[in-house]
Amino acid sequence: MDAKSAILARARDAISRSQTRPVGPIPRNYIRSGENPPGSKPVVDDMIEKLEDYSAGVIVAPKDAAILDAIDELLGEARTVVVPDGLPEAYKKAAARGGRTVVEDSRKKAIATLDLNEIDAVVTCSRVGISISGTIILDGEPDQGRRAISLVPDKHVVVLERESIVPTVPQAVDILGEHPTRPTTWIAGGSATSDIELVRVNGVHGPRNLRVVVAH
């Protein structure tokens, strides 16, 4: 028997044995609460610490005007900004400060990917944050937009509501599970990867720069 035949024979044998072997119930008793409730100061502080460890810039904005100022500050020298059509109007106006050009994207009027590549930054809202891992999740609603707009521009400024920050992954999954058909994007810091020689490269599969407004 040659090597290929041997491999296929072992695969068939494994499949046959797996079909006759009884499978017990899969445990689903995940921990769905941390020591502190969602949105509490320890949870928010933990989230900020994780984000900063990922080299993300963070501004805590305790009131509406401060949120707008934070968006403007975090956009920095960006001259062109894409926003989802459902982003609050006040956030769009903040993105347009300093003469920036702001373009809207929607599923009905989507910007081509090559055109997105020429845009400096994107501003979106978010659905939920996970403090234990420093993860921010978008679920494609109108204030967050299509996945492409949060993956192509070089800088992503995201508004994360304090009340939407939960301690654990299962809690976040429960929230997302309320609308299981929505497309989700999980973000943990700026995009980065390493080659076989451990040379870090930023911006390979998403924005190089993540900037977060934690809104109270």
Side-chain angles (χ1 to χ4, degrees):
M1 181 183 295
D2 59 22
K4 179 179 179 181
S5 298
I7 292 171
L8 292 175
R10 292 183 64 182
R12 284 192 293 268
D13 180 59
I15 293 171
S16 176
R17 284 188 284 108
S18 68
Q19 291 173 341
T20 58
R21 184 191 314 160
V23 178
I26 300 173
R28 302 290 186 185
N29 55 333
Y30 307 119
I31 297 174
R32 283 183 160 78
S33 64
E35 295 181 359
N36 300 285
S40 62
K41 186 178 186 304
V43 171
V44 174
D45 289 347
D46 188 34
M47 183 78 187
I48 293 172
E49 180 182 352
K50 299 291 174 47
L51 287 169
E52 290 178 339
D53 189 52
Y54 294 147
S55 301
V58 181
I59 293 179
V60 178
K63 54 185 178 181
D64 292 341
I67 295 172
L68 306 183
D69 292 340
I71 292 172
D72 179 30
E73 179 179 341
L74 293 176
L75 283 171
E77 297 180 357
R79 304 316 307 158
T80 54
V81 183
V82 60
V83 297
D85 61 337
L87 192 74
E89 288 300 321
Y91 295 179
K92 295 177 185 178
K93 291 179 180 178
R97 290 182 185 178
R100 298 187 190 94
T101 299
V102 175
V103 294
E104 291 189 13
D105 180 271
S106 68
R107 289 182 176 83
K108 292 183 178 179
K109 192 176 181 181
I111 300 172
T113 304
L114 288 177
D115 292 333
L116 284 174
N117 192 50
E118 301 301 319
I119 295 176
D120 299 327
V122 56
V123 179
T124 73
C125 292
S126 56
R127 175 59 56 221
V128 64
I130 308 170
S131 67
I132 195 172
S133 60
T135 305
I136 299 172
I137 305 174
L138 282 58
D139 68 358
E141 282 299 275
D143 61 349
Q144 299 153 66
R146 298 185 303 126
R147 296 188 69 196
I149 68 172
S150 64
L151 294 174
V152 179
D154 190 63
K155 178 184 287 188
H156 185 182
V157 176
V158 57
V159 179
L160 174 64
E161 298 290 341
R162 177 188 185 122
E163 295 78 10
S164 70
I165 303 174
V166 298
T168 69
V169 174
Q171 286 172 290
V173 172
D174 286 342
I175 292 171
L176 298 173
E178 295 172 5
H179 303 280
T181 61
R182 292 179 181 175
T184 59
T185 304
W186 296 52
I187 304 165
S191 166
T193 190
S194 297
D195 62 16
I196 196 171
E197 297 177 346
L198 301 182
V199 177
R200 181 183 174 92
V201 180
N202 296 329
V204 174
H205 45 71
R208 289 187 305 117
N209 301 294
L210 177 64
R211 301 292 181 260
V212 182
V213 182
V214 177
H216 281 225

